Amino acid sequence: MGYGQYQYVSPSNPRNCGVWPKTGFSPRKAQLSLYGLKDTPAGAALLPGLGTCTEGAGCVYVRKLEDIDEAVLRRLITIAFDRPDDPEPAP
């Protein structure tokens, strides 16, 4: 489930661009996947304070919500939701 949206441009290939949720989650049997929390410098800086979690390429995995700091999670979601659109690459 995703919330909000922003226009992204891939830094490695500017022709890859589109609309993506600002933040989101996917409940899975083994763990909860959280998206958009580490995509900005401010989010990446706060991530170590979240608690027991692991990182994937574009998401954060949490086994139990009791293992993370809810206040840090709220701040990470706020940062993700305030994310502006990516700037268009220079020609």
Side-chain angles (χ1 to χ4, degrees):
M1 175 161 295
Y3 298 94
Q5 65 183 28
Y6 73 99
Q7 296 284 337
Y8 75 89
V9 178
S10 171
S12 61
N13 183 355
R15 290 184 292 174
N16 289 339
C17 57
V19 178
W20 195 252
K22 288 187 173 191
T23 188
F25 71 95
S26 177
R28 302 188 180 196
K29 185 175 181 179
Q31 55 204 359
L32 179 65
S33 300
L34 304 170
Y35 299 94
L37 302 184
K38 62 182 210 161
D39 296 341
T40 63
L46 271 179
L47 199 55
L50 182 59
T52 304
C53 62
T54 56
E55 294 183 47
C59 61
V60 175
Y61 300 110
V62 174
R63 291 201 185 275
K64 297 184 297 185
L65 290 176
E66 299 84 29
D67 291 343
I68 60 172
D69 185 326
E70 185 179 331
V72 173
L73 178 59
R74 287 178 185 274
R75 288 173 49 205
L76 286 165
I77 291 170
T78 299
I79 290 168
F81 204 79
D82 288 341
R83 178 189 180 131
D85 288 343
D86 287 349
E88 290 291 328

